[in-house]
Amino acid sequence: MTSPAEGFTARPIPARAGIGLRSEHYQDVVASRPAVGFFEIHSENYFGLGGAPHRYLETLRTDYPLSFHGVGMSLGSVDPLNEAHTQRLKQLVDYYQPDLVSEHLSWSSLNGQYFNDLLPLPYTREALNHIVDRVQQVQNTLKRQILVENVSSYLQYTHSTIPEWEFVAQVAEQSGCGILLDVNNIYVNAINHNFNPRTFLDGVSARLVKEIHLAGHTVNEFEDGTILIDTHDQLVCDEVWSLYRDAVRRFGPKPTLIEWDTNLPKLSVLLDEANTAQTIMETLHAQVA
Amino acid sequence: MTNTKTLISTAVSSLMLLGIAGTTVPANAADMEKCYGVAKAGKNDCQTANSSCAGTATKDAQKDAWLFVPKGTCEKLVGGSSKSGA
Amino acid sequence: MPRLRELQQAFGSWLQFDDASEIAALVCANGLAGNRRVQIYRNNLLVTLTDALRAVYPVVEKLVGDGFFRFAANEFIHHYPSRHGNLHLFGHEFAKFLSEFAAAKGHAYLPDVARLEWAQHEVYHAVDHAPLAPQSLTAIDPDRYESLCFTLHPARRLLYSPYPVVRIWEVNQPDFDGDQTVDLSASGNCVLVLRINGAIELHTLARPEYRFLATISEGKTLGQAVEAALEQHRDFDLNHYLAKHVQNGTLVEFNLA
């Protein structure tokens, strides 16, 4: 990163809608400079040291605040934290000064081998203590607060003793991190594990929620049951929009991200989705005010 | 050796007459040509692949015999001895 | 109640070795059975890593076809598991794997195509570096020019193949609409993979030119590099090639041996 600047100054993310920055949209985004509240990137996509990805990100960073969303830290693993990984993230964070830095409440590696997936944790006291400790290690290394995101899951462990929402809230309360509330993941898990998604919202206090994620999922129906898969490959569904309205009523307007990773549509589709979220926030906020 | 020395002396001296190379100056992002490899920047994401869902066959149980034989554009590679090691 | 470590080991055994004996018992079976549920994660692992390979090795995929590529990827994933949270680092042993892969034995050029694609992948993400300012050479005593050691730009890779890999690569690009036939008996390629303004380019080099850059990249002196090039061809045009590779940003720094 031999850029003209020494680094960037902090730039706060407003309580507005943003979109994920995907390499397929680089040209379009740089040329059109869409009116979004922020861009979010997957941190690991910028772990490379130079080249086009950094040129684009530097260009956009001058005009937009950024959120760095990590997928590969393996926060919940019993392996020691990957020092090289956190140090590279620290370099990026120090340089780009994103307003938000987030990771997932999951694990993805064991004995140095990576599964490159967001594997579910059991919701137990032991796992809670472990993840609180890990979040604190990361915050100490980065010298800043991070957010942790609730993940979609396709199974529950028989020995989990804590409801997911309580687990998520406790991680934030005990470690001092914030919560990235993924409303789609709440809905996916509510269907997959048969709970009321509003109960999840009620279990989290507004002051802990620093960002919201929205995405599309896929419904798979089988003779022995239905399972929702967090595919990030389509429009946000009506039920998730409805749950998002409840979330905005409860938590107030929050930076809200439209996530789309597979079968990426043209930029305007993402911007339309962001607009829908923006309108919901403005409408509900106006009602309150 | 004298020949080499002369060659080098001439080449390095004329190098100093060149301007600064311009091709590697980082371009303004807007000027970057749409190049091969742009999409490569984005392999890390946090979705679950749809084709990985339950009910589909185990993805690593693809033991159909036809899969064991390369059947792509390699059939258009002709001549020479492709069997000898590189 | 299993400890977190035991749970992750049970899950890991399933993901790595297809051994579901322990993990299945730890998963609730409401609706879909436990084994169906853990299968989602195992499938996702294979799909994710296969797609990561596809992104780096599109030409290998096109050459062998989708079915064989998935089969090869599957075997590769088992023999060379991912070691990083960043997927861009996954798959660098694919060329080595293909060279040992019995099912690909009849296609000896495949590992070289894979090496070429990995080189492009590395060059795409490599660190930036300012070009060399030729005027800075005025500080060097002309008597010591032979001892100059140049450094290659980090976003450069040199590669030699006895096969016409550049032609193979070109005819398998998405926008290529000509005749895809390649004569494997055509001469091999000396290739310089480089990045210009963020875009990846492949340049075919003359043999002495390749020898010259390869010797420099090994940390040898300009004198040694010129000797190596002259061994390939006694009329090696140093004037031309030295200027060319300073101007295209390949030679970026120097010091004295």
Side-chain angles (χ1 to χ4, degrees), chain A residues 242-255:
Chain A
S242 163
L243 191 59
Y244 175 64
R245 279 188 203 92
D246 287 349
V248 174
R249 278 188 200 101
R250 177 169 167 75
F251 305 124
K254 300 281 180 183

Side-chain angles (χ1 to χ4, degrees), chain A residues 125 128-129 132 136 169-177:
Chain A
R125 286 284 143 211
L128 178 61
N129 292 338
V132 164
Q136 285 172 332
Q170 280 303 312
V171 171
E173 292 284 6
Q174 294 183 28
S175 71
C177 74

Side-chain angles (χ1 to χ4, degrees), chain C residues 89-160:
Chain C
L89 300 176
F90 175 68
H92 77 272
E93 308 97 331
F94 198 49
K96 178 175 183 287
F97 165 82
L98 287 173
S99 70
E100 297 161 348
F101 191 37
K105 267 281 179 286
H107 305 268
Y109 52 85
L110 275 180
D112 283 355
V113 175
R115 281 203 297 141
L116 180 63
E117 296 201 283
W118 185 260
Q120 295 176 68
H121 177 65
E122 283 193 325
V123 164
Y124 185 79
H125 291 285
V127 71
D128 302 296
H129 198 294
L132 185 126
Q135 286 74 13
S136 58
L137 284 161
T138 52
I140 304 294
D141 174 1
D143 280 344
R144 305 206 56 196
Y145 283 169
E146 278 170 289
S147 305
L148 281 169
C149 289
F150 286 94
T151 310
L152 264 60
H153 191 294
R156 298 292 184 278
R157 292 291 181 280
L158 287 160
L159 184 142
Y160 168 76

Side-chain angles (χ1 to χ4, degrees), chain C residues 1 129 231 251:
Chain C
M1 177 155 124
H129 198 294
E231 273 173 32
L251 301 175

Side-chain angles (χ1 to χ4, degrees), chain C:
Chain C
M1 177 155 124
R3 305 277 296 168
L4 186 57
R5 178 174 299 278
E6 292 158 2
L7 172 81
Q8 293 187 352
Q9 270 160 358
F11 213 137
S13 294
W14 160 242
L15 294 174
Q16 263 177 282
F17 309 116
D18 207 5
D19 171 11
S21 58
E22 289 179 62
I23 190 65
L26 302 174
V27 172
C28 299
N30 46 344
L32 289 180
N35 61 346
R36 297 273 297 276
R37 292 176 178 278
V38 295
Q39 188 68 55
I40 297 173
Y41 289 98
R42 190 169 156 81
N43 285 347
N44 197 45
L45 167 71
L46 291 166
V47 174
T48 300
L49 295 182
T50 299
D51 284 351
L53 290 177
R54 256 189 246 278
V56 178
Y57 301 103
V59 174
V60 171
E61 186 190 11
K62 208 160 178 184
L63 284 165
V64 301
D66 171 61
F68 186 86
F69 189 84
R70 277 189 285 127
F71 165 53
N74 222 307
E75 294 295 310
F76 175 76
I77 290 161
H78 284 100
H79 290 96
Y80 298 90
S82 171
R83 314 296 301 180
H84 303 277
N86 173 11
L87 273 176
H88 292 161
L89 300 176
F90 175 68
H92 77 272
E93 308 97 331
F94 198 49
K96 178 175 183 287
F97 165 82
L98 287 173
S99 70
E100 297 161 348
F101 191 37
K105 267 281 179 286
H107 305 268
Y109 52 85
L110 275 180
D112 283 355
V113 175
R115 281 203 297 141
L116 180 63
E117 296 201 283
W118 185 260
Q120 295 176 68
H121 177 65
E122 283 193 325
V123 164
Y124 185 79
H125 291 285
V127 71
D128 302 296
H129 198 294
L132 185 126
Q135 286 74 13
S136 58
L137 284 161
T138 52
I140 304 294
D141 174 1
D143 280 344
R144 305 206 56 196
Y145 283 169
E146 278 170 289
S147 305
L148 281 169
C149 289
F150 286 94
T151 310
L152 264 60
H153 191 294
R156 298 292 184 278
R157 292 291 181 280
L158 287 160
L159 184 142
Y160 168 76
S161 170
Y163 301 102
V165 283
V166 172
R167 168 88 182 146
I168 294 173
W169 185 86
E170 279 169 356
V171 303
N172 284 289
Q173 290 311 294
D175 53 1
F176 182 84
D177 55 5
D179 180 8
Q180 284 185 308
T181 305
V182 177
D183 179 5
L184 278 178
S185 64
S187 60
N189 289 143
C190 296
V191 190
L192 175 66
V193 182
L194 67 171
R195 188 177 78 206
I196 305 287
N197 288 343
I200 306 300
E201 296 183 8
L202 303 182
H203 292 185
T204 307
L205 307 181
R207 271 191 178 242
E209 179 186 16
Y210 176 85
R211 231 14 286 145
F212 175 66
L213 284 183
T215 309
I216 287 175
S217 75
E218 289 160 13
K220 302 277 176 55
T221 64
L222 184 57
Q224 290 168 313
V226 172
E227 290 296 335
L230 288 170
E231 273 173 32
Q232 291 278 335
H233 198 288
R234 58 192 177 78
D235 290 330
F236 174 67
D237 187 351
L238 177 64
N239 249 349
H240 171 72
Y241 289 116
L242 186 61
K244 171 184 169 183
H245 290 295
V246 167
Q247 284 191 305
N248 73 15
T250 296
L251 301 175
V252 287
E253 268 181 34
F254 60 85
N255 55 57
L256 282 173

